[in-house]
Amino acid sequence: MSFKGSMETYRLFIEEYLENFYSRFHAEPQKPLYDSIQYSLLAGGKRLRPILCMEFCRICGQDWKAAAPFAAAIEMIHTYSLIHDDLPSMDNDDFRRGRPTNHKVYGEAMAILAGDALLTDAFLSASEAKLTCPEDMSRAIALLSTCAGSSGMVGGQVLDIMSEERQISEEEILNIQSRKTGGLIRAACGLGAIAGGASPEQVDAACRFADNLGLAFQIRDDMLDVIGTQEEMGKGVGTDETKNTFVRLYGLPKCEELVQKYTADAIQALDLFEDRTFLTELAENLTNRRV
Ligand code: GRG
């Protein structure tokens, strides 16, 4: 199948999987909570993390659908982070994924609770993975929690807030963004490999790929805040002006170089895998993404 065809197959599958996941709760009376969750969860988005997760499972030798419970869990955690990040007490953003942010539509209390529910329900989804080696479940949960929690994504967000109002060093920005954006990308690749029955060396290689791809992805994201438009991005642009971004630290031309460098390093980490065509093309395509 072509690269585009595979992307579309993965994307459509995870969209339907996420929709089905929440259909089990249809008789529950707390409907406004589910409306708020579905509003953000089913609002499109690139579904990059689930796609990485399912593809790593495939190249490690299993049916990629085996990774779907993990892939859905990671997209649920990603969506919670976006809902909370947009809150007035955080970034106070009005648009996300091409529509008004969750709190603008459902109010702050419901947006906080939708995020809390998504984070918690993610672990229900993860628990439903049928692994060829059931002992791998604890390895997967440990990796997911570490990447998303206090020393991963949330920790990165806190370090980012702590660094406001002062110029930060190259080392600091790499540390912050490796956790904040890199955390869930690492979880996606690592859990996909685990679902695929990967060896510890393959899981490490998947994480190395993720760490480099995560940095390339975030640097490109910072560039898009300057060169992108709201129509393309589906969210406000130019909102990072006062933040510690890669563009602020290095300027656009150096950022362009760094995106290429981290992408090349990511692709090199795939050496351990035989079938790396899709991931190579995906990494290359992300270097000039407009959304
Ligand atoms: C726990 C509140 C809280 C925050 C954690 C990840 C994060 C920190 C906040 C989310 C907002 C943000 C700008 C994160 C940087 C990572 C990033 C580029 C997110 C957007 O991911 P895409 O481009 O989004 O994959 P789509 O909509 O395509 O899924």
Side-chain angles (χ1 to χ4, degrees), residues 44-49 75 78 80-82 84-86 90-91 96-97 153-154 156-157 177 180-181 184 217-218 221 235 289 291:
K46 293 181 286 299
R47 309 304 192 192
L48 171 67
R49 295 154 192 80
E75 189 66 11
H78 170 57
Y80 117 74
S81 80
L82 300 179
H84 281 190
D85 193 61
D86 291 335
M90 298 250 188
D91 270 4
R96 171 73 67 181
R97 290 178 165 172
M153 180 184 73
V154 177
Q157 175 80 344
Q177 297 305 342
K180 188 176 157 179
T181 301
L184 285 191
F217 186 81
Q218 183 57 51
D221 208 68
K235 62 178 184 180
R289 71 189 172 96
V291 58

Side-chain angles (χ1 to χ4, degrees), residues 46 216-240 245-247 252 255-256 259 285-291:
K46 293 181 286 299
F217 186 81
Q218 183 57 51
I219 297 169
R220 182 70 191 168
D221 208 68
D222 287 353
M223 292 171 69
L224 287 174
D225 190 68
V226 178
I227 62 174
T229 65
Q230 178 155 333
E231 291 68 45
E232 287 170 325
M233 301 284 289
K235 62 178 184 180
V237 293
T239 55
D240 289 350
T245 67
F246 284 102
V247 174
L252 280 171
C255 281
E256 180 69 56
V259 169
N285 277 9
L286 288 174
T287 62
N288 54 16
R289 71 189 172 96
R290 299 292 309 182
V291 58

